[in-house]
């Protein structure tokens, strides 16, 4: 192409993807700009490394230090992109590839979907991968609470107070990060390969267990434009996992499996350690010594209970990083058998989790919809909640049965009242407020961006409610992380009371009524202005239509600008007071507080504080 590599003055201008014969590959990715930017940062990092080595060779200390700082900035930026962007994307695509058979799809379908909407496809895969990584990390934290310290030595402990990811990105070399990245990919993608690939329960799911394929209707049934995966992953699963008893159930199942596998394979010391046995033996020995002392009234021997005391001292500082264990004979073979047992358990657990909620949801929703096709996300969510409620009810009844019939009736009455209060609160906080919030978001953001002025926007209450649920959750999270004000105080009080101590009057008066009033005013005032006042001014129909369609974003912009203006005015007042006090204030005097006339006054010592 008439290109001469010896023309160094034009090398930077002519160095394109066509020159390297990679243009077709990069163009096929549909993200040429992003890939070019990442490759540019990589080349910049390599250049900084070479310049840093050259500066160290010629002993340019200041240049060497400056080049080192620039390299650290580029290195940390690239590692953040890999950890937060690339790694969840790999997990999301791997999860999709392993579950193709479950949805009766193929790689060709995914390729066509990517060609039609590359940005949306990559974002959804990244989102699914991020959610998977989050729940995988949560499960690893739960495993660390059960297993012996040191079993999961190959995985980083996120609860370690000495763990600082930014410091590790700065100090550790690139090959260490690359090795950790490969280990993380293998550790998080291997369970998917075991539970979701061929030879797994998906082959059983693909058979007509109930006359229909398990997830074949996922693409056949009608569904709204809203991605219900967001609602399922951000509302359904967190609502279940945030409950303390759900986590305790999962922890109990993991402990029971670990104890069973440990005793069958003689790996109890390796998995759980000898601490439990030592504690039990120490407690039993202490009880025997106390009984013998009570019988003989003898002086206790020096050293009794020292082992238990020593264990208590060790446990005061939290779990240690490593705990010794007894290594049985043929240890590698036992570890292989443990891994095989874990794979079989994962297969059975995935079979139950992938089929039971869907079958339960189908059976329940068939009474309501009949033979109509229903999206599997509806059936899965319905079945999941029903299964959880059934298990919760069984555990509660088993806990109440030893207390007698009268206590059970009192508990049933108490829980019935609590459920009625919860339903009323749910209608307000999870029904009315999200609906109004989603409708307001539709009028302010979605409709002005998607619908032209010569067309009429259509509103779907179900989609608006689903979007409102997500927006309400985001707003509540931002409010709890923000400064202290009345909404944060009320939300914290509601969280602190919980479901059992729910205060219906407080929630309606302090939270439901003010928020609903603000949302209704935000919806009604612009509509009254656009429909009731603007036509009285004698403007044309085109202007009336323009005002009706643009009044909501205009008022939002006005409110935001006024908020920024008031914030800046308050900041300038604080700065003015600070400068005035720093320049002219000599001191402050604390004077006595005098009560009103007719009441005795209390005297306090006067004091002054000099600044």
């Amino acid at each position: 192409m008439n290109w001469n590599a010896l023309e160094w003055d034009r090398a930077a201008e002519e160095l394109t993807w066509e020159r390297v014969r990679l243009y077709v590959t990069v163009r096929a990715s549909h993200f040429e700009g992003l890939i070019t930017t990442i490759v540019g940062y990589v080349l910049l990092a390599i250049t900084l490394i070479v310049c840093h080595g050259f500066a160290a060779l010629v002993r340019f200390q200041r240049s060497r230090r400056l080049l080192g700082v620039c390299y650290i900035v580029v290195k940390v930026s690239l590692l953040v992109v890999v950890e937060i962007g690339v790694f969840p994307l790999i997990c999301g695509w791997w999860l999709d590839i392993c579950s193709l058979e479950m949805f009766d799809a193929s790689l060709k379908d995914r390729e066509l979907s990517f060609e039609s909407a590359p940005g949306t496809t990559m974002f959804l895969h990244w989102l699914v991968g991020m959610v998977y990584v989050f729940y995988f990390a949560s499960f690893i934290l739960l495993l660390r609470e059960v297993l012996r310290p040191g079993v999961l030595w190959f995985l980083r402990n996120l609860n370690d107070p000495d763990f600082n990811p930014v410091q590790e990105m700065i100090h550790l070399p690139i090959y260490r990060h690359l090795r950790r990245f490969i280990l993380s990919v293998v550790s998080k993608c291997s369970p998917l390969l075991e539970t979701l690939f061929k030879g797994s329960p998906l082959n059983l799911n693909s058979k007509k267990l109930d006359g229909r394929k398990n997830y074949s209707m996922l693409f056949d049934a009608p569904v709204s434009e809203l991605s219900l995966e967001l609602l399922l992953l951000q509302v359904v699963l967190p609502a279940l996992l945030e409950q303390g008893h759900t986590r305790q159930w999962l922890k109990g199942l993991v402990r029971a499996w670990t104890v069973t596998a440990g005793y069958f394979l003689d790996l109890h010391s390796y998995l759980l350690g000898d601490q439990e046995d030592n504690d039990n033996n120490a407690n039993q020995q202490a009880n025997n010594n106390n009984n013998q002392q009570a019988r003989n009234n003898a002086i206790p021997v020096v050293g009794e209970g020292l082992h238990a005391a020593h264990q208590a001292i060790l446990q005061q500082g939290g779990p240690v990083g490593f705990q010794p264990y007894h290594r049985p004979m043929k240890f590698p073979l036992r570890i292989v058998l443990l891994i095989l047992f874990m794979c079989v358990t994962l297969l059975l657990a995935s079979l139950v989790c992938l089929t039971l909620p869907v079958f339960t949801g189908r059976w329940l929703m068939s009474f309501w919809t009949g033979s109509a096709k229903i999206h599997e996300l509806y059936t899965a969510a319905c079945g999941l909640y029903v299964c959880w409620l059934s298990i919760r009810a069984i555990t509660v009844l088993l806990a109440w049965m030893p207390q007698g019939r009268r206590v059970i009736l009192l508990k049933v009455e108490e829980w019935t009242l609590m459920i009625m209060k919860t339903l009323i609160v749910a209608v307000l906080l999870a029904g009315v407020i999200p609906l109004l919030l989603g409708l307001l978001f539709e009028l302010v953001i979605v409709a002005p961006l998607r619908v032209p002025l010569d067309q009429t926007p259509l509103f779907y209450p179900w989609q608006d409610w689903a979007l409102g649920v997500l927006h309400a959750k985001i707003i509540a999270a931002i409010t709890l992380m923000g400064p202290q004000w009345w909404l944060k105080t009320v939300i914290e009080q509601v969280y602190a009371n919980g479901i059992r101590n729910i205060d219906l009057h407080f929630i309606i008066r302090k939270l439901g009524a003010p928020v609903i009033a603000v949302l209704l005013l935000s919806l009604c005032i612009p509509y009254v202005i656009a429909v009731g006042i603007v036509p009285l001014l004698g403007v044309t129909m085109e202007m009336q239509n323009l005002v009706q369609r643009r009044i909501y974003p205009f008022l939002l912009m006005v409110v935001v600008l006024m908020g920024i203006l008031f914030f800046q005015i308050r900041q300038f007042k604080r700065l003015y007071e600070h400068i005035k006090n720093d320049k002219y204030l000599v001191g402050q005097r604390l004077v006595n507080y005098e009560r009103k006339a007719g009441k005795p006054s209390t005297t306090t010592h006067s004091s002054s504080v000099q600044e």
Side-chain angles (χ1 to χ4, degrees):
M1 293 184 289
N2 299 327
W3 180 66
N4 188 3
L6 298 179
E7 296 180 3
W8 296 104
D9 55 339
R10 299 181 58 191
E13 300 177 1
E14 299 294 335
L15 188 60
T16 60
W17 291 116
E18 292 91 339
R19 305 298 183 189
V20 202
R21 291 189 184 107
L22 295 176
Y23 179 71
V24 177
T25 304
V26 174
R27 187 177 181 181
S29 66
H30 297 276
F31 295 97
E32 183 179 358
L34 179 61
I35 295 178
T36 305
T37 304
I38 294 177
V39 172
Y41 274 104
V42 172
L43 294 178
L44 178 61
I46 296 174
T47 305
L48 289 173
I49 292 175
V50 174
C51 295
H52 183 270
F54 180 76
L57 183 64
V58 298
R59 297 182 180 180
F60 288 169
Q61 297 299 330
R62 292 184 178 179
S63 301
R64 176 173 173 268
R65 195 173 295 113
L66 179 61
L67 290 172
V69 172
C70 295
Y71 168 70
I72 287 174
V73 172
V74 176
K75 172 186 172 184
V76 171
S77 303
L78 288 176
L79 290 176
V80 168
V81 170
V82 170
E83 291 286 341
I84 299 179
V86 178
F87 180 62
L89 191 61
I90 293 175
C91 293
W93 274 107
W94 186 247
L95 178 63
D96 190 10
I97 292 173
C98 292
S99 60
L100 285 176
E101 189 176 357
M102 183 170 64
F103 302 113
D104 283 343
S106 62
L107 290 176
K108 187 65 176 178
D109 299 330
R110 295 296 182 264
E111 183 180 355
L112 294 176
S113 176
F114 177 76
E115 290 291 337
S116 61
T120 303
T121 304
M122 297 295 284
F123 171 74
L124 289 178
H125 283 83
W126 174 85
L127 181 64
V128 172
M130 182 65 76
V131 173
Y132 171 73
V133 170
F134 171 75
Y135 285 113
F136 189 90
S138 302
F139 184 71
I140 293 299
L141 294 178
L142 187 142
L143 286 180
R144 290 188 183 275
E145 298 179 5
V146 176
L147 299 178
R148 175 186 60 85
V151 175
L152 302 176
W153 56 270
F154 52 90
L155 295 177
R156 286 178 292 182
N157 188 7
L158 301 180
N159 282 341
D160 188 3
D162 298 329
F163 174 67
N164 192 336
V166 178
Q167 274 191 351
E168 288 189 354
M169 291 179 182
I170 294 174
H171 295 293
L172 294 182
I174 290 294
Y175 74 92
R176 292 281 299 276
H177 289 290
L178 181 62
R179 187 175 65 181
R180 285 189 173 183
F181 178 76
I182 295 175
L183 181 61
S184 299
V185 170
V186 172
S187 63
K188 289 181 174 61
C189 294
S190 297
L192 295 178
L193 184 63
E194 296 168 1
T195 57
L196 295 177
F197 207 51
K198 289 188 177 181
S200 68
L202 294 185
N203 289 326
L204 295 177
N205 293 339
S206 62
K207 298 178 181 179
K208 297 183 179 181
L209 298 180
D210 63 340
R212 295 177 295 179
K213 291 185 178 181
N214 194 17
Y215 291 94
S216 61
M217 294 169 53
L218 189 61
F219 298 103
D220 298 336
V223 68
S224 61
E225 295 180 359
L226 176 67
S227 180
L228 294 179
E229 291 88 346
L230 297 177
L231 192 62
L232 180 64
L233 295 176
Q234 295 295 322
V235 178
V236 176
L237 291 181
L240 292 179
L241 296 178
E242 286 175 1
Q243 302 293 329
H245 48 266
T246 306
R247 191 174 186 277
Q248 294 299 323
W249 293 345
L250 184 58
K251 186 176 179 180
L253 290 176
V254 172
R255 181 178 292 276
W257 183 91
T258 307
V259 171
T260 304
Y263 278 112
F264 272 106
L265 300 175
D266 196 16
L267 292 175
H268 185 270
S269 176
Y270 172 75
L271 294 175
L272 297 175
D274 299 326
Q275 182 176 354
E276 293 184 354
D277 296 337
N278 293 333
D279 291 342
N280 295 331
N281 295 332
N283 293 331
Q284 184 177 1
Q285 183 178 1
N287 293 331
N288 295 333
N289 292 332
N290 292 333
N291 295 333
Q292 184 177 1
Q293 178 184 358
R295 289 194 304 267
N296 300 331
N297 196 15
I299 300 176
V301 181
V302 178
E304 288 182 357
L306 289 180
H307 180 74
H310 179 65
Q311 292 293 333
I313 292 174
L314 288 179
Q315 292 178 2
Q316 286 180 358
V320 294
F322 178 80
Q323 182 179 340
Y325 63 94
H326 171 68
R327 184 165 182 157
M329 298 178 61
K330 300 181 180 179
F331 182 71
L333 178 61
R334 297 177 188 274
I335 294 297
V336 172
L337 293 177
L338 178 66
I339 295 176
L340 293 177
F341 186 38
M342 180 184 66
C343 293
V344 174
T345 306
L346 287 176
L347 292 177
L348 296 177
S350 62
L351 175 62
V352 174
C353 295
L354 291 174
T355 56
L356 182 61
V358 176
F359 292 156
T360 305
R362 284 179 181 175
W363 178 72
L364 289 174
M365 299 192 74
S366 64
F367 295 100
W368 180 24
T369 59
S371 59
K373 289 185 177 181
I374 305 172
H375 200 278
E376 292 293 356
L377 288 175
Y378 293 99
T379 60
C382 179
L384 188 63
Y385 269 111
V386 168
C387 293
W388 174 78
L389 288 175
S390 302
I391 297 174
R392 178 60 177 162
I394 291 173
T395 55
V396 169
L397 289 177
L398 291 177
W400 288 351
M401 285 179 63
Q403 300 179 7
R405 182 182 301 177
R406 183 177 180 182
V407 176
I408 292 177
L409 293 177
L410 292 176
K411 291 289 185 180
V412 168
E413 182 180 356
E414 177 184 350
W415 275 66
T416 303
L417 181 61
M418 182 187 68
I419 290 174
M420 293 177 62
K421 292 182 179 179
T422 305
L423 290 176
I424 296 175
V425 172
V427 169
L428 291 177
L429 302 185
V432 178
I433 292 179
L435 179 60
L436 296 177
L437 190 61
L439 183 59
L440 183 62
F441 181 80
E442 183 85 15
L443 291 170
V444 173
I445 304 295
V446 179
L449 293 178
R450 296 183 58 181
V451 183
L453 291 176
D454 57 347
Q455 298 180 4
T456 302
L458 299 178
F459 301 100
Y460 300 94
W462 169 250
Q463 295 185 20
D464 295 337
W465 172 81
L467 283 174
V469 170
L470 298 178
H471 295 155
K473 184 177 180 181
I474 295 173
I475 291 173
I478 295 176
T479 302
L480 292 176
M481 292 187 298
Q484 197 72 30
W485 59 306
W486 70 269
L487 185 58
K488 181 180 179 180
T489 304
V490 173
I491 294 177
E492 288 178 346
Q493 183 64 36
V494 173
Y495 271 106
N497 292 337
I499 297 180
R500 294 188 176 182
N501 299 323
I502 188 170
D503 190 349
L504 184 60
H505 183 263
F506 175 80
I507 293 176
I508 294 177
R509 184 170 56 90
K510 294 292 186 178
L511 182 60
V515 173
I516 292 175
V518 171
L519 292 176
L520 285 177
L521 289 176
S522 302
L523 290 171
C524 296
I525 291 178
Y527 183 80
V528 171
I529 295 175
V531 178
I533 298 179
V534 173
L536 299 179
L537 301 178
V539 297
T540 61
M541 293 298 297
E542 290 78 7
M543 180 59 65
Q544 295 181 20
N545 184 36
L546 178 64
V547 172
Q548 292 178 11
R549 298 290 301 279
R550 296 293 184 262
I551 188 171
Y552 287 97
F554 174 75
L555 291 181
L556 175 65
M557 182 180 64
V558 170
V559 170
V560 171
L561 291 178
M562 291 181 62
I564 295 175
L565 181 62
F566 283 124
F567 176 76
Q568 294 297 333
I569 291 175
R570 187 173 59 181
Q571 294 298 107
F572 276 115
K573 286 184 177 180
R574 289 182 179 179
L575 180 62
Y576 171 75
E577 293 292 333
H578 178 74
I579 295 175
K580 183 181 69 174
N581 294 336
D582 185 59
K583 188 173 182 65
Y584 300 107
L585 184 63
V586 177
Q588 293 179 347
R589 182 178 299 277
L590 180 64
V591 299
N592 294 335
Y593 170 70
E594 299 291 343
R595 290 183 178 272
K596 295 182 179 180
K599 295 183 179 179
S601 61
T602 58
T603 59
T604 58
H605 296 284
S606 300
S607 60
S608 62
V609 179
Q610 299 294 331
E611 295 187 356

